[in-house]
Amino acid sequence: MTPTDLLVPTWRQMLGALSDWLAKAEVQMPGGAADALLSARLAPDMFPLATQVRFACVQVWEGAHRLRDEPLPDRVMALLDEGRQAGDQPGTMADARARIAETLVLLDSLAADALNRCSDAPLAHDLPNGMIFDLTSDSYARDWALPQFYFHVMTAYAILRAQGVELGKADYVAHMLPRLRQPGAPQD
């Protein structure tokens, strides 16, 4: 399995699910009440929902560019800044869903083999705090890009659930429902 095969469908389906969860919150909490959820946190020292959404998008933008050995676009810094300031300026559900939509457009623009640079190609992943991880393309995809993305998506799910949004396992794995065999249906 290549990084493109692993990451792009995963990012796409989980960003779609995240957008659906936000839409579900808007339906369940009409009149703009759902916007208040963007300030909700699981713990006082964690980022709020608005940040989790933006940082999930950052993981996609960053991964797509790092795995193509391209400089990070200004969009990454803009998303990071929005996320870091989301405690004071959470924006609206429409803003959050727009960030997801922009990220899905990025994924739609990628070639079928866009992230498949040589699997053992070195990739230095530097963090804002000065730490640097020396990885290969494959280990970056497996050990950083995917887990970091899921951390932010799952934290967003948990915040929404903790705030009373009616979500369940079917919402989390909605991409699997088309593959569900009906009871008594023959196996292929």
Side-chain angles (χ1 to χ4, degrees):
M1 179 174 284
T2 68
T4 303
D5 294 337
L6 174 66
L7 293 172
V8 173
T10 301
W11 285 338
R12 184 177 285 120
Q13 70 196 18
M14 294 311 296
L15 285 174
L18 179 56
S19 185
D20 290 346
W21 306 337
L22 298 177
K24 203 167 192 177
E26 289 178 295
V27 169
Q28 293 175 23
M29 300 174 174
D35 289 344
L37 296 175
L38 292 165
S39 296
R41 302 167 189 259
L42 284 181
D45 65 342
M46 291 183 78
F47 284 118
L49 176 61
T51 302
Q52 302 302 332
V53 170
R54 282 157 179 85
F55 284 7
C57 293
V58 164
Q59 295 307 314
V60 174
W61 283 86
E62 186 175 306
H65 286 80
R66 285 189 188 280
L67 287 168
R68 291 183 293 172
D69 199 25
E70 296 177 354
L72 298 180
D74 292 340
R75 187 75 199 122
V76 171
M77 286 311 298
L79 282 167
L80 284 170
D81 288 343
E82 275 185 24
R84 290 178 185 131
Q85 297 169 13
D88 296 324
Q89 301 169 13
T92 65
M93 285 289 186
D95 296 332
R97 292 181 70 207
R99 298 309 171 266
I100 294 168
E102 293 167 354
T103 306
L104 289 168
V105 168
L106 166 68
L107 291 175
D108 291 341
S109 74
L110 295 176
D113 63 348
L115 310 181
N116 297 349
R117 67 188 255 191
C118 182
S119 65
D120 60 353
L123 190 152
H125 181 55
D126 53 326
L127 301 178
N129 65 5
M131 293 171 59
I132 300 173
F133 291 101
D134 289 318
L135 305 164
T136 63
S137 295
D138 279 358
S139 64
Y140 172 81
R142 181 192 64 234
D143 301 333
W144 184 268
L146 195 57
Q148 290 295 317
F149 174 75
Y150 267 115
F151 174 85
H152 294 294
V153 170
M154 191 59 226
T155 302
Y157 177 90
I159 291 170
L160 290 166
R161 283 290 310 246
Q163 294 299 312
V165 177
E166 294 176 22
L167 295 172
K169 186 73 169 227
D171 296 294
Y172 189 77
V173 295
H175 60 280
M176 293 297 295
L177 297 179
R179 296 181 177 100
L180 181 63
R181 184 185 320 147
Q182 297 303 314
Q187 294 183 16
D188 291 336

